[in-house]
Amino acid sequence: MAVATAGWRLSEEQEAFRRLTRQLAETHIAPRAREYDRTGEFPWDVVQLFREQGLFSLCVPEEYGGAGTDLLTLAVVIEELARVDATASLILAVQELGSLPIILGGDEAQKRRWLPSLATGERLAAFALTEPEAGSDAAAIRTRATRRGDRWVLEGTKRFITHGSIADVVVVFATVDPALGHRGIGAFVVEKGTPGFSVSRVEEKMGLHASPTAELVFDGCEVPLDHRLGGEGEGFKIAMMTLDRSRPAVAAQALGIAQGALDYAVGYLKERRQFGKALAEFQGLQFMVADMATQVEASRQLLYYACRLIHEHGYGRLPAEVNRYAAMAKLFCSDVAMRVTTDAVQLLGGYGYVKEHPVERMMRDAKITQIYEGTNQIQRLVIARSLLG
Amino acid sequence: MEATTGPVSGQEGREAPAAAHPCFRPEHEALRQTVRELVARHLRPHARAWEEAKAFPKDVFRLLGEHGLLGLRVPESLGGAGLDWFATLAFVEELHRCGSGGLAMAVMVHTDMALPPLVRWGTPDQHRRFVEPAVRGERVLAIAMTEPWAGSDLAGIRTTARRVDGGWVLDGTKTFITNGAIADVVLVAAKTDPKAGRKGISLFLVERGMPGFRTARLIDKVGMHSSDTGELVFESCHVPDGNLLGEPGRGFYHLMWELLGERLVIAAGVVAMAQEALELAVAHVQSRHAFGRPLARFQAVQHRLADMAARLEAARQLVYWAAWRMQSGLDAVQAVMMAKLVATRTAFEIADEAMQLHGGYGYTLEYDVQRIWRDVRLYRIGGGTDEMLREVISREMGLRPSRTGSEGDG
């Protein structure tokens, strides 16, 4: 009988992307990560590197200048980037997040207008849903969109918007009437420099220091009518469909962080000697890394399977049981990343706690993967809903 | 406590998988369907009685043999089906939903622990005498490695086999032997050169009725009730030359090779049992009301089920990945060890949570969840302890072992 391998091995192309990304990450990003984590300056050189290597094209369909690769390829690339630095991987993940509403909700003209420059990385995208008073409860957003003649006028504040201060294209979710709940929400593309759109502050965070997280203010910000994606009241659906598909990117980031911390800790255990032998020879530590490696591999297999399932459904609406897999992958990978990075710090002892070694940064960065793009509590809601009906 | 009827779990209301896994092809799914029907018709209805009786009829082996299920990966020339690992997985997953972990274990010991070394190292004569009847379910197999003083440390066994004219004489005691009472043929590991450590171990096929071989006692266990666990005694037991399996002195290596497959099927089996526990918990929280609404409407309950589902799915995907590596002929040591470590720990945690979600009913013997809880607990020990698995995983990662320990169990 033939060997059952269909759909399992990474394709040649996916393996090639993994090799390329690992080489880029180790050569160009790893040596920079500590420095920009310290200064908090956004690494434009990394953006330039991604542009030159065409990595932004992984986020966009082929018809609009994208690479025409699948979701698993993007996940593998994000994983490899996050293995050395989560901030660098987030540059790509946010480009996907900001592009998805246009891919999923835009008409042909809108796609042709915005996607090609996002595919080259010439322009950066952002996704603006969260507000000071509406986080997990996204349907409660208060930013208003009012039709005035041939314009939409936006009024309100968005918070915790990754790349909000540097993005050229921001997809903003706003309601025509809060009383309508999620049915009143629309999705609007706001370009950088539009009058009435400003950045009111950039957050100081525990991790992801070089990734700007901004508060955006819309004060009489006018955009043309054709900047609305989808029909009347379809914005919430677009937002949810986007998040359903972007979860694997966060899971991939978490997986990469965990793998990076594990690899670093293993290298350290082989070098460091105490009590006359390498730390690697102590069984108590061997068992810790065995558990870490096992959890990381389980994360990887769950994520890759979720990516394949989602990919089979194209850009259409995902059935609940497929969404469940995306949510399970995000939940599981991020929880594992937190545990594994915490253990990696432990394995390095005092050295784990100082910035000379990257594991403390990985531990700080891992934490956000349990929170953003749907807290893990929200992931559990998604999973439970599909189990319990 | 009010009288209740435990839900008849297992086959009813089973959820279709999100998508057929790419490794399972239509022929695997057809096999799965066959096993599912067989289990529903011939095993599930009696499982509870067999568990209480602490035994199941040996006819079960014949029944499975008649349906070609005992030699799924055995070559067709030896009476097997000549199928692949995913056929085994489909069979194992369905069998573990029969309502008795012990029965499933007894069958796995026969098909995936004892049989593979017989197929691989057996002579044509041994294939005819042992493999073919085993595939038909006419002769039940056991494998005897563990001794009172040697569990994980297989090289430390003390049972000896002394060369005599025309054969060997075995002396020693084996314990924790699954199928120890019902087996017709026991594959016994013994020292032919007691000074040579692992290089002094050889394998013998001891047949029921051979003078000097007896089952000294049965050992009572927390779970796996329908499966007999025996202590076997060999006292000047003469075994003819034709019953030596493989090369003398190579027994340790003959067995190490098959432990990988054993661990893979255990991992697949416990995922199936945990899946059933999860489904029982979902059904229970949907039907049980408290404070005016179903338990399923409490978010704390929903989120626990979500965690259980996510962890179980990660374990399942890890098992499938390990199986795929086995099937593809890739190095699968690390993958299988990880799969068993994750699957068994996750399964026990899920069974425990499922019991918790059943409240007081979960602790009664009327509900099935306690049986799964008891049964899956074994596998953090049996088939390679958690500790031995981590030992191998960390060694595979290039960390030196803390001692020159060998790895073996059974």
Side-chain angles (χ1 to χ4, degrees):
Chain A
M1 178 176 275
V3 172
T5 57
W8 262 90
R9 206 184 291 272
L10 288 187
S11 68
E12 297 259 325
E13 187 185 50
Q14 286 159 344
E15 287 290 1
F17 268 108
R18 186 192 287 286
R19 279 193 303 274
L20 166 78
T21 313
R22 177 166 296 202
Q23 189 254 326
L24 291 176
E26 287 180 349
T27 314
H28 300 288
I29 299 173
R32 289 268 291 120
R34 183 180 160 201
E35 176 63 12
Y36 59 68
D37 178 64
R38 187 179 68 77
T39 63
E41 281 172 27
F42 182 70
W44 284 104
D45 56 320
V46 173
V47 174
Q48 191 54 35
L49 177 73
F50 290 178
R51 286 171 180 155
E52 286 163 7
Q53 299 294 332
L55 295 187
F56 288 111
S57 67
L58 300 178
C59 307
V60 174
E62 204 169 4
E63 310 88 279
Y64 307 104
T69 47
D70 61 0
L71 182 58
L72 180 53
T73 306
L74 177 64
V76 166
V77 167
I78 289 173
E79 175 192 339
E80 285 300 326
L81 294 170
R83 190 172 153 271
V84 304
D85 179 48
T87 294
S89 73
L90 187 56
I91 292 172
L92 213 52
V94 171
Q95 191 76 344
E96 188 213 16
L97 179 67
S99 303
L100 276 171
I102 302 172
I103 296 168
L104 296 166
D107 61 28
E108 193 58 26
Q110 290 169 326
K111 290 182 195 174
R112 298 224 166 271
R113 180 165 174 194
W114 286 300
L115 291 178
S117 62
L118 298 178
T120 59
E122 179 197 335
R123 297 211 276 180
L124 296 183
F127 177 89
L129 178 62
T130 296
E131 297 182 2
E133 301 301 327
S136 292
D137 183 9
I141 58 171
R142 288 284 175 274
T143 294
R144 291 295 282 261
T146 312
R147 172 107 183 237
R148 199 173 297 152
D150 60 351
R151 320 287 281 176
W152 285 102
V153 183
L154 303 179
E155 298 275 351
T157 303
K158 293 290 175 182
R159 182 167 282 178
F160 298 153
I161 308 308
T162 305
H163 292 182
S165 54
I166 57 170
D168 306 281
V169 175
V170 183
V171 178
V172 179
F173 295 87
T175 178
V176 292
D177 178 0
L180 291 174
H182 66 81
R183 283 182 300 276
I185 295 171
F188 303 88
V189 176
V190 179
E191 298 188 20
K192 190 178 189 171
T194 306
F197 164 36
S198 63
V199 176
S200 49
R201 68 167 175 174
V202 176
E203 307 289 348
E204 278 190 71
K205 307 186 297 302
M206 176 172 131
L208 292 177
H209 286 166
S211 175
T213 305
E215 185 173 87
L216 310 181
V217 172
F218 302 90
D219 182 10
C221 173
E222 296 186 8
V223 296
L225 291 184
D226 64 4
H227 278 220
R228 189 181 73 185
L229 304 170
E232 185 86 36
E234 284 187 358
F236 189 75
K237 188 181 85 182
I238 293 170
M240 292 303 113
M241 285 173 70
T242 295
L243 292 172
D244 287 343
R245 288 193 59 97
S246 70
R247 280 180 196 125
V250 179
Q253 184 184 34
L255 169 64
I257 295 170
Q259 184 71 57
L262 172 65
D263 291 347
Y264 196 87
V266 167
Y268 181 86
L269 292 187
K270 290 179 183 175
E271 296 297 318
R272 170 86 172 164
R273 296 181 71 82
Q274 291 286 283
F275 303 103
K277 51 182 177 173
L279 292 188
E281 291 180 64
F282 290 89
Q283 195 172 43
L285 307 185
Q286 291 170 2
F287 279 22
M288 280 176 76
V289 288
D291 283 349
M292 290 158 74
T294 304
Q295 291 174 64
V296 168
E297 199 56 54
S299 300
R300 178 173 290 119
Q301 296 310 319
L302 179 55
L303 169 62
Y304 287 6
Y305 185 54
C307 287
R308 287 176 163 129
L309 273 185
I310 293 171
H311 181 70
E312 281 172 16
H313 287 81
Y315 285 100
R317 184 120 208 198
L318 301 175
E321 68 269 20
V322 173
N323 270 338
R324 179 164 94 211
Y325 275 84
M328 290 195 294
K330 197 271 187 187
L331 168 66
F332 192 87
C333 292
S334 58
D335 281 354
V336 164
M338 198 64 242
R339 279 202 298 275
V340 166
T341 53
T342 305
D343 280 351
V345 168
Q346 190 68 26
L347 285 169
L348 267 74
Y351 292 100
Y353 203 69
V354 299
K355 302 212 168 189
E356 195 182 324
H357 295 275
V359 289
E360 61 83 27
R361 167 169 54 83
M362 292 166 167
M363 187 180 96
R364 287 184 283 111
D365 289 349
K367 184 63 208 171
I368 193 61
T369 63
Q370 294 178 303
I371 297 172
Y372 63 17
E373 290 189 43
T375 61
N376 282 3
Q377 285 64 40
I378 291 295
Q379 307 306 322
R380 290 180 175 96
L381 269 185
V382 172
I383 299 163
R385 210 177 281 146
S386 89
L387 283 173
L388 297 166
Chain B
M1 191 174 286
E2 70 191 280
T4 56
T5 312
V8 183
S9 62
Q11 308 308 313
E12 302 81 11
R14 285 184 58 180
E15 197 190 357
H21 196 278
C23 286
F24 291 99
R25 293 190 306 273
E27 59 267 36
H28 297 126
E29 294 306 327
L31 173 72
R32 181 189 295 284
Q33 199 53 40
T34 303
V35 182
R36 189 175 292 184
E37 283 162 20
L38 210 61
V39 165
R41 192 147 161 233
H42 298 289
L43 305 183
R44 187 96 208 175
H46 311 292
R48 186 168 277 267
W50 293 340
E51 280 285 299
E52 282 166 16
K54 299 200 171 172
F56 65 88
K58 261 174 100 171
D59 287 351
V60 167
F61 281 96
R62 277 186 184 271
L63 174 77
L64 296 173
E66 280 163 16
H67 286 82
L69 298 170
L70 296 181
L72 290 171
R73 295 189 322 286
V74 174
E76 287 170 277
S77 58
L78 302 181
L83 297 174
D84 66 1
W85 274 105
F86 288 94
T88 293
L89 254 57
F91 171 60
V92 163
E93 287 177 345
E94 293 305 319
L95 188 65
H96 278 78
R97 300 185 60 119
C98 75
S100 166
L103 188 155
M105 175 169 74
V107 173
M108 283 200 302
V109 164
H110 178 92
T111 56
D112 290 284
M113 279 186 74
L115 199 47
L118 274 170
V119 171
R120 174 126 170 205
W121 312 110
T123 61
D125 175 59
Q126 288 170 338
H127 284 162
R128 186 184 52 75
R129 286 162 58 209
F130 302 110
V131 172
E132 291 175 23
V135 167
R136 291 194 296 269
E138 292 163 10
R139 298 188 92 177
V140 174
L141 307 178
I143 186 162
M145 293 189 259
T146 297
E147 298 184 358
W149 35 77
S152 294
D153 184 10
L154 177 61
I157 60 169
R158 298 184 195 168
T159 295
T160 56
R162 192 166 40 87
R163 194 82 177 100
V164 293
D165 193 28
W168 304 78
V169 173
L170 268 60
D171 278 288
T173 302
K174 295 286 178 183
T175 196
F176 299 152
I177 307 308
T178 301
N179 297 346
I182 64 170
D184 301 292
V185 180
V186 184
L187 181 55
V188 180
K191 284 271 177 76
T192 41
D193 182 354
K195 292 184 202 70
R198 67 174 84 167
K199 289 184 179 146
I201 295 173
S202 307
L203 303 178
F204 299 91
L205 293 155
V206 180
E207 299 175 57
R208 183 72 57 189
M210 284 182 167
F213 162 45
R214 66 190 165 93
T215 302
R217 68 182 182 110
L218 291 179
I219 299 163
D220 247 338
K221 307 179 298 297
V222 168
M224 300 295 196
H225 282 173
S226 73
S227 163
D228 57 307
T229 303
E231 186 172 287
L232 310 185
V233 171
F234 304 91
E235 285 166 325
S236 300
C237 174
H238 184 271
V239 180
D241 275 331
N243 283 29
L244 171 75
L245 181 70
E247 285 178 57
R250 297 286 301 163
F252 182 87
Y253 305 95
H254 291 346
L255 289 181
M256 284 307 104
W257 158 81
E258 70 84 27
L259 288 179
L260 221 49
E262 170 203 342
R263 285 167 185 175
L264 178 64
V265 294
I266 288 172
V270 296
V271 167
M273 287 199 278
Q275 177 71 40
E276 187 179 343
L278 176 63
E279 288 166 20
L280 289 174
V282 167
H284 183 76
V285 303
Q286 282 172 329
S287 62
R288 172 85 178 162
H289 283 65
F291 306 104
R293 51 187 167 146
L295 294 182
R297 297 268 301 280
F298 291 90
Q299 195 171 43
V301 169
Q302 294 167 1
H303 283 197
R304 280 161 80 177
L305 286 164
D307 277 347
M308 290 158 73
R311 280 154 53 209
L312 182 59
E313 204 53 48
R316 191 191 332 262
Q317 296 306 322
L318 193 57
V319 172
Y320 289 169
W321 173 65
W324 168 74
R325 292 191 70 89
M326 287 280 275
Q327 185 59 50
S328 307
L330 300 167
D331 177 4
V333 173
Q334 176 98 328
V336 170
M337 300 297 156
M338 286 180 169
K340 184 185 180 261
L341 181 63
V342 163
T344 54
R345 287 204 287 179
T346 304
F348 182 68
E349 287 161 15
I350 285 171
D352 191 58
E353 282 285 274
M355 178 183 275
Q356 189 69 23
L357 288 168
H358 278 74
Y361 295 103
Y363 202 67
T364 68
L365 297 185
E366 291 179 35
Y367 279 69
D368 230 19
V369 67
Q370 49 80 26
R371 198 264 311 156
I372 298 174
W373 185 87
R374 288 184 288 106
D375 287 353
V376 296
R377 184 61 183 84
L378 169 68
Y379 287 126
R380 285 187 56 202
I381 301 169
T385 61
D386 279 7
E387 290 71 27
M388 288 310 293
L389 301 179
R390 287 167 173 145
E391 189 78 15
V392 178
I393 293 166
S394 52
R395 192 175 64 206
E396 292 281 310
M397 292 169 78
L399 300 166
R400 274 182 281 169
S402 51
R403 62 186 180 93
T404 49
S406 57
E407 202 253 333
D409 55 326

